Amino acid sequence: VGVLGGTVNGHVDDLSALAEVCQRHGAWLHVDAIWGGALAYSADPTCRAYLRGLEHADSIAIGPQKWLFTPRLCALTLFPKLLDPDEFDAILASAMPYSAKSDDDDGGEGGGANRGMWGLQGSRRADCLPLWATMQVLGRRGVQEYVDGSIQLTRELHAAV
């Protein structure tokens, strides 16, 4: 597990070095970017340098409520190398036989997806709505301005102290 912006002190691991080790040993590289994942929106080259090596991650966790200005708990796990849904299910799904499929999951056909197998809160499908709404209102450029603005304010505070 690599860290991209620890919540306590902002620590960033050398993701490229971790990726090399994982590749050499056939290990899965997960990056905890719960806090620092927002740096992907920054235009600041110094900050974007922290993202170096992130492209090698097998999975990335991001917490939009931390620094993407989402007003409510919302978490994402990205799997950039798993593009095939069947591969995703084979590796990451968990059986939940007590969670029945609903007829409306597939438009009434009766064989809908059991979303409970992809997360512990399978019945809470609208958890991403605050992130969606934030992105609709602010857009990529607005998020970039907020992220870079907060970085600038931090630099000013650091210089003043």
Side-chain angles (χ1 to χ4, degrees):
V1 174
V3 175
L4 177 60
T7 53
V8 173
N9 61 10
H11 173 81
V12 176
D13 286 330
D14 182 342
L15 300 177
S16 294
L18 285 173
E20 260 183 55
V21 171
C22 288
Q23 228 170 17
R24 191 174 329 123
H25 297 283
W28 183 279
L29 175 58
H30 175 73
V31 176
D32 176 348
I34 291 290
W35 184 69
L39 288 175
Y41 287 93
S42 177
D44 184 319
T46 304
C47 293
R48 291 198 59 83
Y50 291 118
L51 300 171
R52 204 169 293 124
L54 186 62
E55 68 275 10
H56 301 295
D58 295 296
S59 57
I60 305 162
I62 298 174
Q65 81 283 0
K66 296 289 187 182
W67 200 11
L68 287 177
F69 313 99
T70 301
R72 181 191 143 164
L73 181 62
C74 173
L76 314 171
T77 304
L78 307 174
F79 300 92
K81 297 178 183 178
L82 293 181
L83 301 178
D84 176 11
D86 292 331
E87 182 182 14
F88 179 90
D89 287 350
I91 295 171
L92 298 164
S94 58
M96 295 179 70
Y98 54 85
S99 180
K101 296 178 187 179
S102 67
D103 287 341
D104 66 351
D105 283 343
D106 69 345
E109 297 298 324
N114 178 0
R115 289 183 180 90
M117 65 190 223
W118 298 313
L120 298 175
Q121 297 178 344
S123 64
R124 297 180 63 193
R125 298 179 201 147
D127 282 352
C128 65
L129 186 59
L131 174 61
W132 178 86
T134 299
M135 296 308 290
Q136 293 302 306
V137 170
L138 297 178
R140 181 177 175 79
R141 180 84 174 140
V143 172
Q144 176 188 333
E145 289 174 7
Y146 277 138
V147 168
D148 286 340
S150 65
I151 291 167
Q152 184 56 37
L153 286 173
T154 301
R155 287 177 175 152
E156 291 173 17
L157 177 62
H158 183 265
V161 175

